[in-house]
Amino acid sequence: MASEGVRVLPATRRKPRQSRARASSEALQEAFVRVLIDKGFHGVTVREVAAVAGVGVGTFYEYVANKEALAALTIHMRVKALAQALEACIERHRGQGLLTLVSALIDEQVERVMDDAVPWSALFMLERQISTPEAYRKHYAQFVDLWSQALLASSDAPATQRVPAAARMVHSMVYGWVTQGLLTQGPDLDRLALRQEIQSAVAGYLRLLGAK
Amino acid sequence: MASEGVRVLPATRRKPRQSRARASSEALQEAFVRVLIDKGFHGVTVREVAAVAGVGVGTFYEYVANKEALAALTIHMRVKALAQALEACIERHRGQGLLTLVSALIDEQVERVMDDAVPWSALFMLERQISTPEAYRKHYAQFVDLWSQALLASSDAPATQRVPAAARMVHSMVYGWVTQGLLTQGPDLDRLALRQEIQSAVAGYLRLLGAK
Amino acid sequence: MASEGVRVLPATRRKPRQSRARASSEALQEAFVRVLIDKGFHGVTVREVAAVAGVGVGTFYEYVANKEALAALTIHMRVKALAQALEACIERHRGQGLLTLVSALIDEQVERVMDDAVPWSALFMLERQISTPEAYRKHYAQFVDLWSQALLASSDAPATQRVPAAARMVHSMVYGWVTQGLLTQGPDLDRLALRQEIQSAVAGYLRLLGAK
Amino acid sequence: MASEGVRVLPATRRKPRQSRARASSEALQEAFVRVLIDKGFHGVTVREVAAVAGVGVGTFYEYVANKEALAALTIHMRVKALAQALEACIERHRGQGLLTLVSALIDEQVERVMDDAVPWSALFMLERQISTPEAYRKHYAQFVDLWSQALLASSDAPATQRVPAAARMVHSMVYGWVTQGLLTQGPDLDRLALRQEIQSAVAGYLRLLGAK
DNA sequence: CATGAATGAGTATTCATTCAT
DNA sequence: CATGAATGAATACTCATTCAT
């Protein structure tokens, strides 16, 4: 009796897909991103992340305080790496003309983000979901600062008192355009076109600023 | 970004009990039957089954996909055990006379079911409620097969072409009589009388069959 | 924004399908059976029954105490009608030979049940689910009584002290065979064959009884 | 049968409140936004929304299919209202100069969103979380269309083939700037400054466009 | 150090029942 | 006398987290 084709056992736990456990925290971050990408934040479970990272649930908690903390850490590391790359880019172009420097920085940012478009767009979204407004502002300020540095590093920097507002504006344009491009056109959007559009917009804005 | 402002409050801490719960699946089956008996299938809740089994709700789902699955599993295991006992009984009496063999099989079945009368009668009912007609028929056929084997295993088996119909009839008489006895007279019914009545009826039928 | 293809409104309540509200209690019983048949007892909701009966939920409770009561009432009415038909049949054949009378009664019962096979099989099941054992036994006894009357109404009734057991046996055979036939072969089963099989079995049993 | 032995115990009696709840769907939308604002989407529970709306959980499901549906509906209604306001604004300024018209539209949008800044920023976020990319793009396209209409409604519209790209750019600037302003500076940001910055940026861009 | 079995708080959703109209 | 909007108790199921091994 009792139909035999019926599922009687609970869904089997996913088996580890990745044997190399490296520094587990990194493995977990990577796994987190992977799961985030194809399940969405709501679909990220500790169990799955641990499984994908190739470790047990217990081990997950050895390395990370909890799910939110892993999310925060993952975002933090990525952003840090991006910020460092941008800083290096500023150094490489220090002393050059404003437009040249800004242009280089835009290219650097667009290329880096686009190279990893899918994870970035997932993380963009995630950040807004889990960050408190304070955390979000802090991170935002970090990028604005970077742009302030950049503007000031050029040979023809805007008037000092205009820099903060300009930096904020430029960051907003770049960041907004990139995220919206990602969100609305997907990861396969035309990078070149995107870069040019941003360049135009920013150039237009800076020209106006210079003129005032 | 967003690495520090995140709420890391631990919510409420869970405190696991340290019970060592035998083979939990079996404990759950047993609990299921117990609850089924005094609440009816509609009254079986996962919470209660888990509680009776001495485990948490979470553990329930660790071992069983869901309530229906546990029901099916419980029935399946019981029926399997009964079928095996009947097969063994057939083997023990292989080559003996038709009536002897049939009689032994009836006794075996009646005794086994009566030994556990209450659970069986609850499960009889349950099966009809949860099984699809196909599943029910399949299980029914399994018992009819068993009776076919039995009839054929005797030294004076009926004509081959009569066996299937006879097997079906005999099963129906035994099964119907037992379930109805259980249902109408409760678990304390007079086993001896029951066995004799069934024996009579089956014997009458088989005699008629032989005469035709 | 906000996708437009998304279901935003809750499932619409079913509209009344039957305008003629007759004596509402009967309309409700009919509706109950209809819903029971294609949704199973678990799927019977007061809302749907009321809708199918063409009345509002409020009206449902004007006529019936609650769902269970409607179920019980429905079964009760059907069974009563069947019992009356059987009584009439007994009267029609009073004084005739045992086998004739029994045979007529079997035919009457099989035909009546088969004419309405689907509802009957749904109600058979339902009764076991909702009746207390006492209620079930009471109803069972009612049919056994009917068979006692029948046996005694024949010109060659069995010895008085054998009647109760015989009545019980005969009812069991008929009832068991019919319900099992319905359950295992569905409502399209071969009525003639069924009737003959039951006749054979019962005849065999009664012959034996007479011989003892 | 079985008409009397049935348990007819009334379980616990429910006692309805007699609240007269305006148009409940709207009350629910409002409640949804309120809860969303201080708990985030993850923290929105049906129970709380219903409670805040002043109705029972059951009533929630009487008006809305489920949580997601309420979210979608809420966003949909708000956006619809905004789009209509913008359309009206376009009509009011039809035939006027490009910059005048664009400027008016920006003011309208900024003022409307800022008047309800907190809910809007919560809904901006939410939409990204719950909308499918298709739904999101669709809504995005709706606004781009609106901007296309606006550009074309001016006395000195850009060359037709430039309109789509320009519309997309302008929307992106406005939308991006507003959402980011909201997200990074909170609802108390300096509206006037924001409007002027956006005006500048858009004006700069359009000037460049005209020059090409 | 790593593990994963056990846990139960928390959530969406259904549906019998009431009572103001 | 009929109605159906409003209700909330009740239930299945998920998943972050712990801790004995």
Side-chain angles (χ1 to χ4, degrees), chain A:
Chain A
M1 335 162 147
S3 54
E4 272 167 13
V6 173
R7 193 171 50 113
V8 164
L9 292 177
T12 19
R13 311 264 164 260
R14 292 143 199 89
K15 285 290 167 192
R17 283 185 235 155
Q18 169 177 317
S19 52
R20 193 68 281 282
R22 255 172 326 144
S24 288
S25 166
E26 278 159 43
L28 287 170
Q29 289 175 45
E30 213 169 281
F32 178 82
V33 172
R34 208 134 84 203
V35 176
L36 177 64
I37 285 168
D38 47 57
K39 306 280 173 91
F41 184 58
H42 184 75
V44 175
T45 67
V46 170
R47 280 226 271 249
E48 184 158 12
V49 171
V52 170
V55 301
V57 246
T59 309
F60 179 101
Y61 286 95
E62 291 291 324
Y63 284 86
V64 191
N66 54 38
K67 203 171 67 156
E68 314 272 298
L70 177 59
L73 179 64
T74 305
I75 293 170
H76 182 69
M77 299 303 277
R78 289 241 171 196
V79 170
K80 196 166 137 192
L82 177 59
Q84 283 170 346
L86 294 184
E87 268 170 6
C89 180
I90 292 174
E91 287 318 312
R92 277 200 306 280
H93 296 83
R94 178 171 293 280
Q96 302 186 1
L98 180 60
L99 284 181
T100 315
L101 206 160
V102 163
S103 178
L105 217 49
I106 290 174
D107 283 357
E108 178 84 21
Q109 192 162 350
V110 171
E111 287 305 312
R112 288 209 155 249
V113 171
M114 289 297 145
D115 277 347
D116 245 358
V118 179
W120 271 112
S121 87
L123 290 173
F124 279 145
M125 278 268 7
L126 181 58
E127 200 203 358
R128 300 204 174 174
Q129 290 178 56
I130 64 165
S131 294
T132 58
E134 294 72 36
Y136 183 75
R137 272 170 222 161
K138 186 174 162 188
H139 141 219
Y140 192 87
Q142 181 185 348
F143 274 88
V144 173
D145 271 359
L146 222 47
W147 276 106
S148 291
Q149 286 173 42
L151 297 181
L152 291 170
S154 73
S155 57
D156 50 345
T160 317
Q161 81 278 14
R162 290 195 189 284
V163 166
R168 171 171 282 275
M169 182 57 148
V170 173
H171 170 57
S172 175
M173 292 175 96
V174 176
Y175 184 75
W177 202 236
V178 169
T179 54
Q180 285 175 61
L182 231 35
L183 252 18
T184 59
Q185 305 178 54
D188 299 325
L189 63 82
D190 180 348
R191 291 186 195 194
L192 185 59
L194 179 69
R195 257 164 44 197
Q196 287 176 342
E197 284 182 320
I198 298 179
Q199 305 273 15
S200 297
V202 172
Y205 171 73
L206 290 177
R207 198 164 309 164
L208 208 69
L209 190 75
K212 271 201 266 194

Side-chain angles (χ1 to χ4, degrees), chain B residues 28-192:
Chain B
L28 286 170
Q29 289 175 47
E30 218 168 277
F32 176 80
V33 172
R34 208 138 78 208
V35 176
L36 177 65
I37 286 167
D38 48 53
K39 306 279 173 93
F41 185 59
H42 183 74
V44 174
T45 68
V46 170
R47 271 215 282 266
E48 183 159 12
V49 172
V52 170
V55 301
V57 234
T59 307
F60 179 101
Y61 287 96
E62 206 65 30
Y63 286 86
V64 187
N66 53 40
K67 204 171 61 160
E68 314 272 299
L70 178 58
L73 178 65
T74 305
I75 293 171
H76 182 71
M77 299 302 276
R78 291 240 172 195
V79 169
K80 196 166 137 192
L82 176 58
Q84 282 170 346
L86 296 183
E87 267 170 6
C89 180
I90 293 173
E91 287 318 310
R92 277 199 306 280
H93 295 84
R94 181 171 291 281
Q96 303 185 3
L98 181 60
L99 284 181
T100 314
L101 206 160
V102 163
S103 177
L105 217 48
I106 290 173
D107 284 358
E108 177 85 23
Q109 192 162 349
V110 171
E111 287 305 313
R112 289 210 153 247
V113 171
M114 289 300 146
D115 277 347
D116 244 357
V118 180
W120 270 113
S121 88
L123 290 173
F124 280 145
M125 275 267 10
L126 180 58
E127 202 204 358
R128 300 203 175 173
Q129 290 178 55
I130 64 164
S131 294
T132 58
E134 294 72 38
Y136 183 75
R137 273 169 222 162
K138 187 176 162 188
H139 138 222
Y140 193 88
Q142 181 185 345
F143 274 87
V144 172
D145 269 1
L146 223 48
W147 277 106
S148 291
Q149 285 174 43
L151 298 180
L152 292 169
S154 73
S155 58
D156 51 343
T160 316
Q161 81 278 13
R162 290 195 189 284
V163 165
R168 170 171 281 274
M169 184 57 151
V170 173
H171 171 57
S172 175
M173 293 175 94
V174 175
Y175 185 76
W177 201 233
V178 169
T179 53
Q180 286 173 61
L182 232 35
L183 253 19
T184 59
Q185 305 178 54
D188 299 326
L189 63 80
D190 181 348
R191 292 186 194 194
L192 185 61

Side-chain angles (χ1 to χ4, degrees), chain C residues 18-196:
Chain C
Q18 171 175 316
S19 52
R20 192 68 283 281
R22 253 171 325 142
S24 288
S25 166
E26 278 159 43
L28 287 171
Q29 288 174 47
E30 215 169 279
F32 177 81
V33 171
R34 208 135 84 204
V35 176
L36 177 65
I37 285 167
D38 48 56
K39 306 278 173 92
F41 184 58
H42 183 75
V44 175
T45 67
V46 170
R47 281 225 270 250
E48 185 158 13
V49 172
V52 170
V55 301
V57 247
T59 310
F60 179 100
Y61 286 96
E62 290 293 322
Y63 286 86
V64 191
N66 54 39
K67 203 171 66 157
E68 315 271 299
L70 177 59
L73 179 64
T74 305
I75 293 170
H76 181 70
M77 298 304 276
R78 290 240 171 196
V79 169
K80 195 165 137 193
L82 177 59
Q84 282 170 346
L86 295 183
E87 267 168 7
C89 181
I90 293 173
E91 287 319 310
R92 278 200 304 281
H93 295 84
R94 177 170 296 280
Q96 302 186 0
L98 180 61
L99 283 182
T100 314
L101 207 160
V102 163
S103 177
L105 217 49
I106 290 174
D107 282 358
E108 178 83 23
Q109 191 162 351
V110 171
E111 286 307 312
R112 289 208 153 249
V113 171
M114 288 298 144
D115 277 347
D116 245 358
V118 179
W120 271 112
S121 86
L123 290 172
F124 280 145
M125 277 267 9
L126 181 58
E127 201 204 356
R128 299 203 174 176
Q129 290 178 55
I130 63 164
S131 296
T132 58
E134 294 72 36
Y136 183 76
R137 270 169 224 162
K138 185 175 163 189
H139 140 220
Y140 192 87
Q142 181 184 348
F143 275 87
V144 172
D145 270 1
L146 222 47
W147 278 105
S148 291
Q149 286 173 41
L151 297 180
L152 292 168
S154 74
S155 59
D156 50 344
T160 317
Q161 80 279 12
R162 289 194 190 285
V163 167
R168 169 170 283 277
M169 182 57 148
V170 173
H171 171 56
S172 174
M173 291 175 97
V174 176
Y175 184 76
W177 202 234
V178 170
T179 53
Q180 285 174 61
L182 233 34
L183 253 19
T184 59
Q185 304 179 54
D188 299 325
L189 62 81
D190 180 347
R191 292 185 194 195
L192 186 60
L194 179 69
R195 257 162 47 196
Q196 288 176 342

Side-chain angles (χ1 to χ4, degrees), chain C residues 1-4 6-10 13 47 65-66 68-69 72-73 75-76 79 120 127 130-132 135 138-139 142-143, chain D residues 1-8 61-66 69 72-73 75-76 79 120 124 127 131-132 135 138-139 142-143:
Chain C
M1 352 164 130
S3 53
E4 272 166 14
V6 173
R7 193 170 51 112
V8 163
L9 292 177
R13 312 263 163 259
R47 281 225 270 250
N66 54 39
E68 315 271 299
L73 179 64
I75 293 170
H76 181 70
V79 169
W120 271 112
E127 201 204 356
I130 63 164
S131 296
T132 58
K138 185 175 163 189
H139 140 220
Q142 181 184 348
F143 275 87
Chain D
M1 2 160 124
S3 69
E4 286 116 346
V6 174
R7 263 173 306 143
V8 193
Y61 287 96
E62 207 65 28
Y63 285 87
V64 186
N66 54 41
L73 178 65
I75 293 171
H76 181 69
V79 168
W120 271 111
F124 279 145
E127 203 204 356
S131 293
T132 58
K138 188 176 161 188
H139 139 221
Q142 181 184 346
F143 275 88

